[in-house]
């Protein structure tokens, strides 16, 4: 079946959080099963017995498991890998029209995140955990405290007075410690800055709640909250469509849309006074209706280097990447330009065993950082901004180099499901640049894994590309 969740078997596998072997339950999930459907299945199981959950996921509920697995999507948390790393087995209709399965761990490094190149996926087997309970209490925190700048950061004029008052103080050092503790020890860790807002939204929490404890909610968001969230994003999309019809010369249109979107977004995001204890699957999908508002989105994955003073990642690179974009957005505002009219988002993730994962080889972790704006923003304005963002993050990547476990340099890479082809890097298109840059480290082993899958199915590698490839896939990975 293309929808539904069914138990297969129990296995022993390495737990991401502890690094030790633990029991996992393998479930077959129909590739057309949405996160919304899986969430309700998981909650129904948890009401009558021990439930099961994916340990990580994307926030959106109206997306299928086939859709989020194929391009190697991820969640948040310094110890979390990608959705594709959860794959135990995958089934598909291959080039010859036959049902084929891949379960071999080496082949899965290619198959689990192959952009649909194998064929029509008919089943995905994932390693699930017993249901756990998050202690959910996101906050609205002054932007200078949420992810504190490094001491040498030059502030935009709008933040200079506040920066001068806190820079280097005990309050500043405490904010740095609070950020680092959350980044390194919380199960889930993400930060949002909506353009020009005084506060950032900090969504970091531990997965240590107790079912039935004070503050427990079996369903979060509630059905009413879900309706409100869906209605809010739908209305926002209608407003964005109106702005998209305005001529580019209309005075203050960019400023007004940015202010309206970012203020209302911060207004309606949750910041509960007391922690909400709820099944993990709820907090992975805390916001519903995201699919209603169409956006442009560029995300890059910056590999983190080892810290000089402890056996963990150097989070200064994260702080530099975050503030580089805040400063850039204010710099463009001073020129009357508003390409980023929504949000800067950052999540911490770990590495990945999947060949084409942009987190592959990042032994100390990954800064998954992105910029978003409404769909109607002029293409030239957004493309120029994207390239400016890339240049800033690429410079930071050079200043804070990271290596894999074999000592080989790992570099920033794009989230393949988002915008990167429009980039111009060293005079090349994004496609040409990353095809060359990743040829040896990732593309070659991916291609060889796909060749082994084709051989096992009785057809040739080029058959995959001829039938299921597209211009970009064939150019990057083709035989």
């Amino acid at each position: 079946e293309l929808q539904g969740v069914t138990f297969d078997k129990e296995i022993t596998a390495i737990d991401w959080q502890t690094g030790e072997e633990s029991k996992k339950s393998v479930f077959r999930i129909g590739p057309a099963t949405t996160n919304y459907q899986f969430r309700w299945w998981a909650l129904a199981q948890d009401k009558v017995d021990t439930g099961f959950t994916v340990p990580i996921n994307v926030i959106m509920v109206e997306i299928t498991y086939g859709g989020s697995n194929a391009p190697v999507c991820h969640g948040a948390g310094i110890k979390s890998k990608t959705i594709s790393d959860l794959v135990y087995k995958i089934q598909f209709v291959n080039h010859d029209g036959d049902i084929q399965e891949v379960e071999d761990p080496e082949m899965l490094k290619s198959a689990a995140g192959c952009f649909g190149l194998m064929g029509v996926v008919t089943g995905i087997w994932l390693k699930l955990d017993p249901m756990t309970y998050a202690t959910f209490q996101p906050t609205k925190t002054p932007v200078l405290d949420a992810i504190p700048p490094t001491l040498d950061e030059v502030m935009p004029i709008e933040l200079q007075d506040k920066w001068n008052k806190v820079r280097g103080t005990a309050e500043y050092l405490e904010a740095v410690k609070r950020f680092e503790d959350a980044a390194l020890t919380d199960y889930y860790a993400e930060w949002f800055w909506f353009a020009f807002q005084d506060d950032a939204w900090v969504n970091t929490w531990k997965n240590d709640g107790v079912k039935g404890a004070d503050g427990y909610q079996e369903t979060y968001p509630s059905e009413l909250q879900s309706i409100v969230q869906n209605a809010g994003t739908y209305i926002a999309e209608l407003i964005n469509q109106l702005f998209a019809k305005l001529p580019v010369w209309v005075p203050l249109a960019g400023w007004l849309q940015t202010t309206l979107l970012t203020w209302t977004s911060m207004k309606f995001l949750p910041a509960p006074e007391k922690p909400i204890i709820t099944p993990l699957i709820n907090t992975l999908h805390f916001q519903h209706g995201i699919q209603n508002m169409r956006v442009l989105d560029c995300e890059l994955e910056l590999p983190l280097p080892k810290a000089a003073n402890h056996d963990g990642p150097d989070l200064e690179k994260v702080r530099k990447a975050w503030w580089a974009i805040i400063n850039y957005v204010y710099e463009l505002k001073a020129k009357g330009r508003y390409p980023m009219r929504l949000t800067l988002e950052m999540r911490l993730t770990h590495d990945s065993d999947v060949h084409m994962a942009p987190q592959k080889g990042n032994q100390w972790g990954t800064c998954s950082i992105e910029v978003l704006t409404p769909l109607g923003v002029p293409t030239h304005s957004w493309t120029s901004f994207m390239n400016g963002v890339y240049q800033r993050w690429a410079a930071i990547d050079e200043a804070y180099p990271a290596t894999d476990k074999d000592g080989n340099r790992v570099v920033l890479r794009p989230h393949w499901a988002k915008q990167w082809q429009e980039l111009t890097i060293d005079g090349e298109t994004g496609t040409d640049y990353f095809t060359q840059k990743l040829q040896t480290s990732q593309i070659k082993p991916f291609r060889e894994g796909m060749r082994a899958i084709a051989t096992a199915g009785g057809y040739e590698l080029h058959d995959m590309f001829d039938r299921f490839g597209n211009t970009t896939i064939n150019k990057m990975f083709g035989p």
Side-chain angles (χ1 to χ4, degrees):
E1 294 183 1
L2 296 181
Q3 289 188 329
V5 185
T6 53
F7 174 76
D8 185 12
K9 60 183 175 181
E10 285 192 349
I11 62 168
T12 299
I14 298 297
D15 185 87
W16 296 347
Q17 298 298 314
T18 65
E20 299 175 354
E21 287 191 342
S22 65
K23 285 186 178 180
K24 304 287 181 182
S25 297
V26 176
F27 282 78
R28 181 194 181 277
I29 301 179
T33 303
T34 66
N35 285 345
Y36 182 85
Q37 292 168 324
F38 180 90
R39 172 177 174 258
W40 282 115
W41 171 85
L43 292 176
Q45 294 286 315
D46 194 52
K47 284 183 179 179
V48 298
D49 200 351
T50 301
F52 296 91
T53 183
V54 284
I56 54 99
N57 209 330
V58 297
I59 299 170
M60 187 182 293
V61 292
E62 297 298 345
I63 183 175
T64 66
Y65 271 82
S68 58
N69 175 70
V72 202
C73 292
H74 63 84
I78 193 64
K79 293 183 179 179
S80 68
K81 292 177 179 282
T82 72
I83 294 173
S84 300
D85 286 282
L86 295 172
V87 175
Y88 179 80
K89 182 169 70 173
I90 194 163
Q91 181 189 76
F92 55 98
V93 179
N94 66 21
H95 168 271
D96 293 336
D98 298 326
I99 295 291
Q100 185 176 347
E101 294 182 353
V102 174
E103 189 175 338
D104 175 76
E106 286 302 311
M107 289 186 186
L108 279 173
K109 291 179 181 179
S110 292
C114 68
F115 317 104
L117 188 55
M118 292 187 303
V120 180
V121 175
T122 53
I124 304 171
W125 281 253
L126 297 186
K127 294 169 281 190
L128 304 187
D129 292 340
M131 183 63 76
T132 49
Y133 304 91
T135 304
F136 181 67
Q137 192 179 19
T139 63
K140 296 175 183 179
T141 303
V143 67
L144 288 168
D145 293 340
I147 301 180
T150 55
L151 289 172
D152 60 347
E153 195 71 61
V154 177
M155 285 291 109
I157 191 169
E158 291 87 345
L159 297 175
Q160 280 179 4
D161 287 345
K162 292 179 180 179
W163 177 229
N164 290 337
K165 290 178 182 178
V166 300
R167 184 176 179 272
T169 63
E171 177 186 347
Y172 166 82
L173 296 175
E174 178 59 33
V176 172
K177 183 179 185 303
R178 189 165 51 246
F179 161 69
E180 292 182 343
D181 286 348
L184 297 176
T185 66
D186 281 359
Y187 181 90
Y188 188 98
E190 66 182 353
W191 292 259
F192 290 64
W193 177 66
F194 291 88
F196 312 125
Q197 295 302 301
D198 293 333
D199 291 345
W201 192 66
V202 179
N203 186 27
T204 68
W205 39 264
K206 298 189 183 299
N207 191 26
D208 60 356
V210 177
K211 185 177 183 179
D214 288 344
Y216 182 76
Q217 295 185 26
E218 180 65 33
T219 304
Y220 180 88
S222 68
E223 291 192 52
L224 177 59
Q225 288 170 322
S226 179
I227 291 171
V228 171
Q229 289 176 348
N230 272 280
T233 53
Y234 178 77
I235 292 169
E237 172 61 16
L238 294 179
I239 294 171
N240 287 338
Q241 290 178 17
L242 290 175
F243 274 101
K245 294 177 181 178
L246 293 176
V248 294
W249 48 262
V250 172
L252 301 179
W255 171 84
L256 181 58
Q257 185 180 20
T258 304
T259 302
L260 183 63
L261 275 178
T262 60
W263 184 86
T264 53
S265 295
M266 278 298 289
K267 188 72 174 176
F268 287 102
L269 279 170
E273 292 183 5
K274 296 181 179 180
I276 296 171
I277 312 299
T278 192
L280 175 65
I281 194 68
N282 286 331
T283 46
L284 296 179
H285 306 300
F286 64 86
Q287 176 70 41
H288 296 181
I290 295 173
Q291 77 284 347
N292 292 331
M293 191 166 75
R294 302 179 69 191
V295 298
L296 302 170
D297 185 349
C298 176
E299 177 178 336
L300 292 168
E301 318 295 324
L302 277 71
L304 299 181
K306 183 184 181 301
N309 57 351
H310 64 87
D311 198 24
D314 183 354
L315 296 176
E316 187 171 297
K317 186 174 186 177
V318 175
R319 295 160 63 194
K320 284 288 188 182
W322 177 262
W323 278 96
I325 305 311
I326 293 178
N327 274 303
Y328 186 32
V329 170
Y330 273 108
E331 175 188 324
L332 293 175
K333 177 190 175 186
K335 300 176 182 178
R337 295 167 54 193
Y338 300 89
M340 192 190 89
R341 300 181 185 179
L342 197 53
T343 182
L344 164 67
E345 301 179 12
M346 192 274 289
R347 295 167 184 88
L348 294 177
T349 57
H350 203 253
D351 62 357
S352 174
D353 297 319
V354 176
H355 283 317
M356 284 313 302
Q359 294 87 353
K360 184 183 179 184
N362 297 353
Q363 60 170 322
W364 297 108
T366 306
C367 172
S368 301
I369 188 165
E370 61 187 313
V371 287
L372 296 89
T373 205
L375 185 62
V377 170
T379 300
H380 66 88
S381 175
W382 180 246
T383 301
S384 173
F385 177 71
M386 278 176 51
N387 278 283
V389 167
Y390 178 85
Q391 291 162 10
R392 283 158 175 79
W393 284 342
I396 291 168
D397 195 44
E398 286 294 323
Y400 295 82
T403 59
D404 64 17
K405 292 178 180 178
D406 296 324
N408 301 311
R409 175 74 192 279
V410 283
V411 297
L412 80 167
R413 288 152 282 178
H415 189 316
W416 303 114
K418 301 182 182 179
Q419 289 182 279
W420 52 276
Q421 293 166 273
E422 299 92 333
L423 295 173
T424 301
I425 309 168
D426 296 339
E428 298 181 287
T429 65
T431 303
D432 289 339
Y433 177 82
F434 287 111
T435 299
Q436 279 190 327
K437 195 76 173 177
L438 305 179
Q439 188 63 230
T440 301
S441 60
Q442 292 186 261
I443 294 176
K444 183 178 179 180
F446 170 76
R447 187 188 297 119
E448 292 310 305
M450 298 304 288
R451 190 188 308 277
I453 292 166
T455 300
Y459 48 95
E460 300 294 328
L461 178 62
H462 70 80
D463 292 329
M464 282 186 181
F465 289 91
D466 292 344
R467 178 148 297 173
F468 302 115
N470 60 31
T471 302
T472 300
I473 286 176
N474 291 355
K475 186 172 187 177
M476 290 192 74
F477 311 126

